Amino acid sequence: MTSLADNLRAVRARIDAAARAAGRDPAEVHLLAVSKTWSAEDVRALAALGQRHFAENRVQELVGKAAALAADPAVPELHWHLVGQLQRNKVGPVARLGATVHSVDRAPLVTALARAAEREQRVLDVYVQVDLGGPEGELGSRGGAAPADVPGLADAIAAAPELRLRGLMAVAPRDEEPGPAFERLAVLSNRVRSDHPGATETSAGMSGDLEAAVTAGATVVRVGTALFGTRPLTSDAGQ
């Protein structure tokens, strides 16, 4: 049975190898540990190995773990991310925590996040989630905005002083090779970046397809299973 330290080394080695194979600097690609369904103790153990960025799918789990670990003086400061779908009535706790939101997919959510951030006197980092499609009948099942709607959402975020547009996020379609989908995401990322030069990040790639994402230009890979092991999944926005 491999240890958490072994898993972390293996994932980082995969990221480094994929970046070098693509002619990229491995330092350009950052690991986001997806700790959904795992305990605060598991997060604490990985933080002790040097990991600082963690993601959750559900707001309640995000806020609970963040509070538990913030109360422990032995745990270094952690940076929290939400990669699951976000309802407007739950933006308050996310803004209070100052978490980075990877799943902005509609204009009303932009407005709600901006208002919540203003109340908390924060500037929130956000990504636009893109729906890359999938097999017939599953369009949208991964979540995200239609590609044609992404530039408008990016403009809306950029116009909100309380929000900072970091870039785009996407999950590869089911039952398809991820490479072509991630290439489509890269084209869209370049288009958004041409209008918003600060939107330099692309959040893409999970345990099973991070190499394809890095090859296509991902700067953030969201890894859960390859770090923590297999567990029941309620959503797949960030494994």
Side-chain angles (χ1 to χ4, degrees), residues 43-204:
V43 173
R44 182 182 286 106
L46 196 58
L49 296 171
Q51 180 65 28
R52 296 292 180 267
H53 288 261
F54 292 86
E56 295 290 334
N57 269 41
R58 298 177 181 276
V59 173
Q60 184 176 357
E61 195 172 1
L62 170 75
V63 173
K65 285 181 192 172
L69 292 164
D72 186 343
V75 177
E77 182 178 2
L78 302 179
H79 304 275
W80 291 96
H81 302 244
L82 182 73
V83 294
Q85 300 304 296
L86 178 60
Q87 301 301 316
R88 283 182 291 168
N89 62 352
K90 295 184 178 180
V91 299
V94 174
R96 204 166 300 122
L97 179 60
T100 297
V101 180
H102 289 238
S103 50
V104 176
D105 58 0
R106 59 202 186 280
L109 182 56
V110 174
T111 301
L113 278 169
R115 288 175 177 168
E118 183 179 24
R119 286 194 299 270
E120 299 299 329
Q121 298 185 348
R122 286 185 178 273
V123 175
L124 296 181
D125 289 339
V126 301
Y127 291 73
V128 176
Q129 183 175 356
V130 184
D131 185 350
L132 294 178
E136 184 177 353
E138 291 195 358
L139 182 64
S141 64
R142 294 290 204 175
D149 295 334
V150 168
L153 279 175
D155 291 345
I157 292 167
E162 306 83 6
L163 304 179
R164 182 184 297 116
L165 177 64
R166 296 302 304 272
L168 305 185
M169 183 275 259
V171 183
R174 292 183 174 89
D175 302 324
E176 290 185 12
E177 287 297 319
F182 289 143
E183 290 293 344
R184 297 196 300 274
L185 178 64
V187 170
L188 190 55
S189 292
N190 287 335
R191 177 181 173 186
V192 169
R193 195 175 302 122
S194 68
D195 294 330
H196 306 287
T200 59
E201 306 294 334
T202 302
S203 172

